[in-house]
Amino acid sequence: MRRFRSFVLVPLLAMTTLVLATAGTSSQDRLTWWRDARFGMFIHWGLYSIPAGEWKGQQVPGIGEWIMNRAKIPVKEYEQLASQFNPVKFNADEWVKTAQEAGQKYMVITAKHHDGFAMFHSKVSKYNVYDATPFHRDVIGELAAACKRHGMPLGFYYSQTQDWHEKDAVGNIWDFDPKHANFDKYLHEKAMPQVRELLTNYGPVALIWFDTPRDITAAQSKELVDLVHKLQPNCLVDGRVGNDAGDYRSTGDNEIPSKRMNYDWEVPATLNDTWGFKKNDSNWKSPQTLIRQLVDIVSKNGNYLLNVGPTSEGLIPQPSVERLQAVGAWLKTNGDAVYAAKPSPFPYEFNWGSITTKENRLFLNVVEWPKDGRFTLYGLQTGVQRASLLARPEDVVTVAKDKTSGTPPVLNLKLPAHAPDPNVSVVAVDLDGPPKANQELIQQPDGSVTLNGQFADLPSGTPIKISNRGITSNWTDPSQKLEWTFEVYRPGRYQVIARTTPVKSAGGWDTAQWSGGDELQASVEGHNVSHTLSDEGKIPDPRNPLYPDVKTTLGEVTLSPGTKRLTVQATKINPETKGGIHLREIELIPMS
Ligand code: JFZ
């Protein structure tokens, strides 16, 4: 009887536990640690670190891990790289320490990228780092062990649809005929079995980071999510599993939205212009840009997954290490403004920096320190008790909160003449209660008004699309228009500036092109100004140095105080403009 009981009871208990665990683990539960973490390390490492952007003596444009695709390298040639992969300087503990010193609270490494090569000892395919290389070690296993030793949550990137080594997967159209591909076969015979290996053999997994959900059905995305949560109920799934099936949303690469998002999201970002190591890519972002991006992302309710691309020797490039150390040093002093911080009470961006919050505290993450120390914020509704510098709490910050007639609530701070930090200085503002702010678009203290596409009113049924950064696309019909409502407090003459963006031309991987030649008309308070979109120069977006805007002055208008409605319409559209007009923002800049 006892044997019978244990024979029946034990599996029943296990199943019940599993069902309860799965049933009890909601997306919200899984996300708690991830929301607090705010900042993670992405690692792109594989065979592509050997060519490092060069193939047969030629530089291959674009991101390094795509070299097999960009150079159309046949599988038989590319897989020879495995015999050269011997990263003897790889030290997993060093990598974890680098992430910790940077203040990164989780790590995500490529377990299998689009090239199909597994960085773990897979029984599903011999095309892996343990079986196919002289290195003969399990990279994922060693990193998982090091992460366990140092208490670092570890996730795995897995390319679930693109696999250029397999005829039934997506992406390799130079060796295989896509018409004969059986994706479901690939999904069930390689992708899902390998995901199962990752979730079975390496202990607790924090996150499975799927990517490029091309040609994957909602049912297939759900199969992947169910597999993950059945094996490890607490494991997160990112947004690129496809079909909105993830625990959070993933933006495009290096794509920081232009407004606060009321959902969980993460931006994968590069330190230079590539994910996988490229020997000739030294376009490193500055520490100020990285810290500015971090606080900007948190101010909009996002996570920052910042990438390193180790070399074929197994080393994280020194310029990457140095920049990560600078971010980590900043976080040691100012981390309270980031970790477990919540987004800004304002839905829009500020030119001077970004706002993050925590309970009854507002953090002004100031990049552009005011010359005379005078800082003004419009629209904060919650009462202010005091303000101080996170880096120098002993410094005096005086506070004056006015309600000057005709303006929103005004917070005036008198800050020390010199910023405490060369990159981003944090002013902690203690409030009477949870931070609340005006939500409408308003003129800023410097007199400017920024009308980003994310805040535009689109007529119902318009074909125009707006990206996360506010960029219009599919604007090819002159009858279409965008409109904004905003508050003006200061009468006067204003320049009307159109900020349009270059876009990746069809086919050319990284050749972002700008054609112009269209004519835009802006109408506000009875004034119409119009001009042909002509390149008056690039305006670097400090939040996204990879994506400068192109400036065109449409004209000048006179505005009186009050609520305004501005309409933009294209009076002429250049047929050469691929995908229509790519407007990102309209800016009103005071002339005086
Ligand atoms: C993908 C990969 O192709 C790339 O190699 C890298 O791993 C990156 C993190 O992810 O690239 C993408 C995927 C999605 C978008 C852009 C680039 N997107 O949604 O715009």
Side-chain angles (χ1 to χ4, degrees), residues 10-23 233:
V10 169
L12 197 61
L13 196 60
M15 275 309 295
T16 312
T17 312
L18 182 63
V19 166
L20 284 177
T22 312

Side-chain angles (χ1 to χ4, degrees), residues 347-379:
Y348 47 76
E349 299 170 332
F350 295 94
N351 294 334
W352 50 264
S354 303
I355 294 179
T356 55
T357 59
K358 193 175 282 181
E359 291 157 6
N360 295 352
R361 186 166 249 207
L362 200 77
F363 298 102
L364 306 172
N365 300 282
V366 184
V367 182
E368 316 288 347
W369 193 259
K371 302 278 176 292
D372 53 4
R374 295 189 183 288
F375 178 91
T376 300
L377 178 67
Y378 282 171

Side-chain angles (χ1 to χ4, degrees), residues 489-505:
Y489 309 111
R490 200 183 300 172
R493 290 285 286 168
Y494 291 83
Q495 263 196 327
V496 183
I497 307 289
R499 295 178 73 143
T500 51
T501 67
V503 287
K504 285 183 183 163
S505 54

Side-chain angles (χ1 to χ4, degrees), residues 2 53 74 76 144 157 169 230 289 300 314 321 348 351 356 389 420 425 461 465 507 513 549 559 570:
R2 191 177 303 124
K76 288 296 166 225
Y157 167 110
K230 185 176 76 170
T289 294
K300 296 164 180 173
V321 173
Y348 47 76
N351 294 334
T356 55
L389 303 181
S425 298
K465 297 279 176 276
Q513 286 180 345
D549 294 331
L559 297 178

